[in-house]
Amino acid sequence: MLKGNVVFGVYSDSAQNRVRAQLKQIFLCMGFEEMPTNNFVESSFWNFDALFQPQQHPARDSHDTFFLDAPSTTKRLPEDYVERVKQIHETGGYESRGYVYDWKREEANKNLLRTHTTAVSSRMLYQLAQKPFAPKKYFSIDRVFRNEAVDRTHLAEFHQIEGLVCDRGLTLCDLIGVLHDFFSHLGMTKLKFKPAYNPYTEPSMEIFSYHEGFKKWVEVGNSGMFRPEMLRPMGLPEDVQVIAWGLSLERPTMILYGIDNIRDLFGPKVDLGLIKKNSICRLGIN
Ligand code: PHE
């Protein structure tokens, strides 16, 4: 049960599903493995704490995140890892000073609807760190939820695409290279990057692509190198880096199909005429 009075739509559109299938194919061709994303409910721990997102961060507010009434808390977390995450937040380590505040287990236990698929990436990287290290390339495409006002470019639920590469000796150049490779498969060949901030990546970059039709640069995603404060408590070796990026599935779909209102694409106000006219139709089952 959700706090508040929110009804989530379960409509999907064929343009979006086509782009989704195309993206999956691109990742598979690039040698990426799909991550299991079949849990919409996640604990704050994996969604935020494991990602070195401080407990006072505004994204953790009920105005931004849908918290669950029942079950309101998670039952199981890996205790020794939780202790290391607490330490990195409170006092730092691995050459970091941490955030210097009292980290509260009750905050980490709170269940929510995942706000990004990076929650899945944090689980996967933790699992990877429990075995002798082997490089990996992972991707996911699935639904996320944010408690925000709906307008022509924002919905309370949408889909995220996420890619990550975990290997020894990766640099920002590798990230820029893999982003060029990935977006060129979508026909987006002109890219620009702008410094950005995420609690879990450093450096971080917003990704812009030049849209020939709109004759302007449009933001297409967010990216970065996961911070040691995230990776080292998991147990990944010191010389292992992770480059990652994320974007909403709705964004490239709108750009590629020239749709200018996100509500035409997904959610309760979707244009059923558009769905009926399109050749493939699938109703929001992931
Ligand atoms: N999680 C980020 C978002 O929700 C996207 C992202 C993924 C950024 C991976 C950097 C690295 O916007």
Side-chain angles (χ1 to χ4, degrees), residues 1-8 62 65-69 147:
M1 198 170 69
L2 288 166
K3 284 201 168 124
N5 187 17
V6 182
V7 180
F8 290 101
S62 59
T65 297
F66 292 113
F67 288 96
L68 260 72
D69 274 347
N147 195 355

Side-chain angles (χ1 to χ4, degrees), residues 12-284:
S12 200
D13 167 71
S14 61
Q16 179 149 310
N17 280 319
R18 248 178 263 157
V19 177
R20 184 180 178 153
Q22 194 185 340
L23 278 158
K24 184 168 175 167
Q25 210 48 47
I26 293 168
F27 274 118
L28 293 174
C29 289
M30 289 172 70
F32 285 65
E33 286 170 53
E34 190 162 12
M35 296 187 266
T37 52
N38 53 346
N39 58 313
F40 291 169
V41 173
E42 185 53 275
S43 61
S44 295
F45 180 78
W46 292 109
N47 195 85
F48 294 127
D49 297 278
L51 290 160
F52 197 51
Q53 189 139 333
Q55 295 189 324
Q56 314 78 1
H57 193 282
R60 301 178 68 143
D61 200 89
S62 59
H63 295 294
D64 291 285
T65 297
F66 292 113
F67 288 96
L68 260 72
D69 274 347
S72 61
T73 55
T74 185
K75 300 269 174 297
R76 254 184 317 143
L77 291 173
E79 294 305 328
D80 50 342
Y81 173 50
V82 169
E83 195 48 43
R84 293 195 296 275
V85 169
K86 173 182 160 74
Q87 246 171 46
I88 196 84
H89 281 242
E90 287 190 337
T91 53
Y94 318 105
E95 293 170 37
S96 168
R97 292 198 298 181
Y99 291 120
V100 192
Y101 71 103
D102 283 331
W103 185 88
K104 295 205 169 55
R105 177 65 183 258
E106 307 84 74
E107 261 327 299
N109 284 349
K110 284 185 188 166
N111 277 334
L112 44 74
L113 291 182
R114 67 172 174 227
T115 64
H116 54 180
T117 44
T118 315
V120 178
S121 303
S122 68
R123 279 179 179 271
M124 292 300 282
L125 287 168
Y126 170 74
Q127 279 174 33
L128 197 63
Q130 306 320 300
K131 296 175 281 192
F133 181 71
K136 281 282 177 194
K137 295 199 271 189
Y138 285 134
F139 79 96
S140 66
I141 309 172
D142 210 340
R143 200 174 301 194
V144 300
F145 306 84
R146 298 210 186 149
N147 195 355
E148 58 185 345
V150 172
D151 64 22
R152 62 193 300 111
T153 53
H154 293 93
L155 289 173
E157 59 174 326
F158 55 97
H159 294 80
Q160 263 188 346
I161 303 161
E162 181 139 336
L164 70 86
V165 182
C166 178
D167 205 347
R168 295 198 146 94
L170 293 173
T171 67
L172 195 64
C173 292
D174 293 297
L175 176 59
I176 292 172
V178 79
L179 289 174
H180 273 291
D181 196 11
F182 173 78
F183 281 99
S184 70
H185 283 100
L186 281 169
M188 300 180 190
T189 47
K190 278 195 208 161
L191 297 184
K192 264 207 299 210
F193 305 99
K194 188 176 135 190
Y197 174 77
N198 297 306
Y200 38 91
T201 52
E202 179 61 33
S204 314
M205 304 188 302
E206 274 170 8
I207 311 157
F208 291 81
S209 161
Y210 188 75
H211 193 282
E212 301 291 347
F214 302 163
K215 295 265 174 285
K216 63 174 184 183
W217 290 93
V218 287
E219 196 193 328
V220 289
N222 182 2
S223 66
M225 301 186 68
F226 283 137
R227 297 186 75 111
E229 289 97 329
M230 169 183 167
L231 302 180
R232 302 288 304 284
M234 289 176 169
L236 284 168
E238 204 176 336
D239 56 346
V240 167
Q241 282 84 30
V242 179
I243 53 178
W245 70 101
L247 56 144
S248 83
L249 173 63
E250 286 72 12
R251 196 82 185 178
T253 310
M254 287 169 79
I255 295 170
L256 295 170
Y257 284 78
I259 296 166
D260 78 340
N261 189 335
I262 200 165
R263 287 169 292 196
D264 291 340
L265 196 63
F266 186 72
K269 287 191 175 169
V270 77
D271 177 0
L272 289 175
L274 190 84
I275 290 186
K276 282 179 191 148
K277 266 190 277 138
N278 275 313
S279 49
I280 312 163
C281 175
R282 199 169 65 112
L283 280 175

